[in-house]
Amino acid sequence: IWAALEAGERYDDTPADARDHLLAEVSRRVYDARREWMRSDGSTDLVSSELLTPQRLQALMRGYDPDGRDALAPPSPSQPEAGGAMILAVDRDGQAVACGFTMNSPFGQRQVAPGTGILLATPPDPREPAAVSAMLLVNPNTRNVYFGAAAAGNAASGAIVKLALASLVEDLSLTLAQARPRLHHGGTPDEVIAEAEEGLSARGHRVRAVERLGRVAAFSCPEGLPRSNRCDFKTDPRGFGLAAAADEQ
């Protein structure tokens, strides 16, 4: 999703009132394409580098209309809600980790592993949007870390990309980035799940309104850790997380 948005500076060059339409279209196309090149067991004949070539990204967005969509697929059932939790940590030396955990459905399989008391998670379909997502922005040469985020919920990928774009591309504070209304399109069903309509219906999208979409914890270190310790840490106001910093070693 990120590569398609930033290819040729597409997101940067898109007017502010059309960016939600662009994000919805990119997300839809990415997930529809993944159902074609990935098998149900998660295997594929492609290597990861082939997915990000300029030719493939150009083909992915072929026929994109910045003014709106021409046609919608017939309505289909929505995916069941899958909650999750996440951990995001970074130390003064710039060592960082972002991860998420999910049962993929409420109470997983509703079965307990014998002798453990542990509920078994529902096996995920790797072709569907994941219930957790994570990202770290690191300079591969200096190893300075600039940004990190971890997200949970059905719209984890859409939520984390929307926040990262607001923070990294539009240079908003994490507080303002977290407050931005979110959206997500998982390809199937052909609908945009959104906290705010934001003109999506006028551009031909089928919109399902929700009160809260995904939860994202994030940190931002504009000058990079460990070069500078000027960082911001934020939990999502949509949840009940904890953000803390310690100066002691």
Side-chain angles (χ1 to χ4, degrees), residues 5-248:
L5 287 167
E6 284 298 284
E9 299 186 340
R10 185 186 294 272
Y11 184 84
D12 308 60
D13 295 340
T14 298
D17 64 351
R19 284 178 170 175
D20 279 352
H21 165 61
L22 172 63
L23 180 56
E25 276 295 275
V26 167
S27 183
R28 176 180 70 88
R29 291 162 182 255
V30 165
Y31 283 115
D32 280 346
R34 186 162 76 170
R35 293 182 180 94
E36 295 178 2
W37 56 258
M38 181 181 285
R39 304 183 185 94
S40 60
D41 62 359
S43 64
T44 177
D45 295 325
L46 298 175
V47 296
S48 58
S49 60
E50 292 179 293
L51 298 173
L52 303 179
T53 63
Q55 295 80 5
R56 182 172 284 273
L57 293 175
Q58 184 177 14
L60 181 74
M61 297 305 294
R62 186 175 294 124
Y64 167 71
D65 184 350
D67 295 324
R69 295 192 55 187
D70 292 332
L72 293 170
S76 57
S78 300
Q79 296 293 328
E81 178 62 30
M86 60 280 191
I87 294 175
L88 181 66
V90 60
D91 67 15
R92 64 170 62 187
D93 296 320
Q95 299 181 98
V97 60
C99 57
F101 313 91
T102 181
M103 299 291 285
N104 293 309
S105 61
F107 301 102
Q109 296 187 48
R110 296 177 174 82
Q111 295 181 347
V112 176
T116 68
I118 298 173
L119 281 171
L120 297 173
T122 301
D125 184 338
R127 298 169 298 182
E128 299 298 327
V132 291
S133 185
M135 70 178 294
L136 292 171
L137 178 61
V138 182
N139 185 315
N141 299 312
T142 65
R143 306 303 298 170
N144 285 326
V145 59
Y146 294 87
F147 179 86
N154 278 31
S157 59
I160 205 170
V161 168
K162 188 78 183 287
L163 184 143
L165 288 168
S167 177
L168 299 173
V169 178
E170 301 180 45
D171 201 28
L172 295 182
S173 69
L174 285 183
T175 298
L176 292 177
Q178 289 277 31
R180 279 276 184 91
R182 293 175 185 160
L183 63 90
H184 175 71
H185 199 312
T188 302
D190 189 358
E191 65 178 10
V192 181
I193 310 170
E195 293 179 338
E197 201 275 339
E198 299 289 349
L200 290 165
S201 296
R203 284 186 162 86
H205 293 278
R206 182 184 295 120
V207 180
R208 177 160 62 93
V210 295
E211 184 177 354
R212 292 182 296 273
L213 191 59
R215 296 178 307 284
V216 187
F219 72 81
S220 176
C221 306
E223 298 172 22
L225 273 173
R227 181 171 59 189
S228 168
N229 62 1
R230 186 173 68 87
C231 297
D232 190 17
F233 306 86
K234 292 294 179 184
T235 58
D236 201 321
R238 296 163 181 78
F240 303 95
L242 171 67
D247 294 326
E248 299 297 325

